């Protein structure tokens, strides 16, 4: 495992790269895993082990304002996607599989829209799908967390203090405002996604709007949806089912 922080257009972004032994020259595309808001790259440690056991190189990223990456003056959602593109270019990657949870899902969707030739496979876990012009603002307060989600929130400070303490809470207000703002450019660019796409939606406590999900799937040329019983963090709270679904999709 190699850990590095790089200056990307004036923002320090931290990432970790895992190369399985005996596969240093593998022709397989690396897999980039991107966490959600309030987390960091360590949320993917278990799945990283599963991927490297399959001979895949894995790159896990701390988004700006999270983990070991820099706090910044702006947290516009598009900047998270721009950071990932800058990191992909910095690493000299010509092809990559992308897996993103929540805010990370939005970030990887932007990469697939803007540089479709880079992305071999795309996984969007519990993406809070942007609203369209004319849609009613989402009522996030209507989503009741599951018991597992409540337990995770209560225990995060003890179990994952680095992620909790490193998170720049100043982005919260900006994020909530963006969740409620129509995003026509994102919708117009969905058809540009060329990669086979797997969308994961949770059960109670999830944040995927079913009507917008149907509209999104209809715009992506090759896309399927898998539903889970867990809440918003499928890879954390329903790991076995997550791996059983996502690992074959990425290793096909």
């Amino acid at each position: 495992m190699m850990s590095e922080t790089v200056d990307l257009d004036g923002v320090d972004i931290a990432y970790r790269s895992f190369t399985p032994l005996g596969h240093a020259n593998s022709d397989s595309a690396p897999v980039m895993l991107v966490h959600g808001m309030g987390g960091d790259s360590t949320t993917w440690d278990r799945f990283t082990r599963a991927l490297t056991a399959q001979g895949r190189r894995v790159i896990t990223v701390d988004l700006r304002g999270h983990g070991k990456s820099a706090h910044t003056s702006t947290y516009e959602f598009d900047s998270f996607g721009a950071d990932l593109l800058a990191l992909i270019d910095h690493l000299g990657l010509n092809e990559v599989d992308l897996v993103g949870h929540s805010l990370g899902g939005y970030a990887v969707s932007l990469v697939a829209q803007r540089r479709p030739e880079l992305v071999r496979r795309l996984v969007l876990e519990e993406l809070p799908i942007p609203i369209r012009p004319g849609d009613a603002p989402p009522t996030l307060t209507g989503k009741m967390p599951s018991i597992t989600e409540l337990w995770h929130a209560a225990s995060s400070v003890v179990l994952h203090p680095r992620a909790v303490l490193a998170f720049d809470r100043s982005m919260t207000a900006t994020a909530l405002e963006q969740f409620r703002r129509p995003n026509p450019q994102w919708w117009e660019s969905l058809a540009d996604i060329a990669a086979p796409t797997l969308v994961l939606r949770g059960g109670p406590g999830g944040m995927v709007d079913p009507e917008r999900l149907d509209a999104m799937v209809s715009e992506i040329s090759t896309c399927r949806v898998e539903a889970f019983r867990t809440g918003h963090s499928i890879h954390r709270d329903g790991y076995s089912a997550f791996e059983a679904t996502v690992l074959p999709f990425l290793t096909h």
Side-chain angles (χ1 to χ4, degrees), residues 219-235:
E219 293 293 330
I220 301 173
S221 60
T222 305
C223 184
R224 84 172 201 260
V225 179
E226 294 288 343
F228 297 78
R229 295 183 178 181
T230 58
H232 185 54
S233 297
I234 301 166
H235 73 277

Side-chain angles (χ1 to χ4, degrees), residues 154-205:
S155 60
S156 286
V157 174
V158 175
L159 297 177
H160 306 286
R162 194 192 88 172
V164 173
L165 297 175
F167 173 54
D168 186 355
R169 288 167 177 77
S170 72
M171 77 176 69
T172 304
T174 301
L176 290 175
E177 190 276 329
Q178 290 177 86
F179 280 132
R180 299 178 65 85
R181 180 198 309 163
N183 192 338
Q185 181 59 53
W186 185 85
W187 283 96
E188 291 168 6
S189 300
L190 278 176
D192 295 332
I193 295 176
T197 300
L198 175 62
V199 179
L200 311 181
R201 62 169 301 181

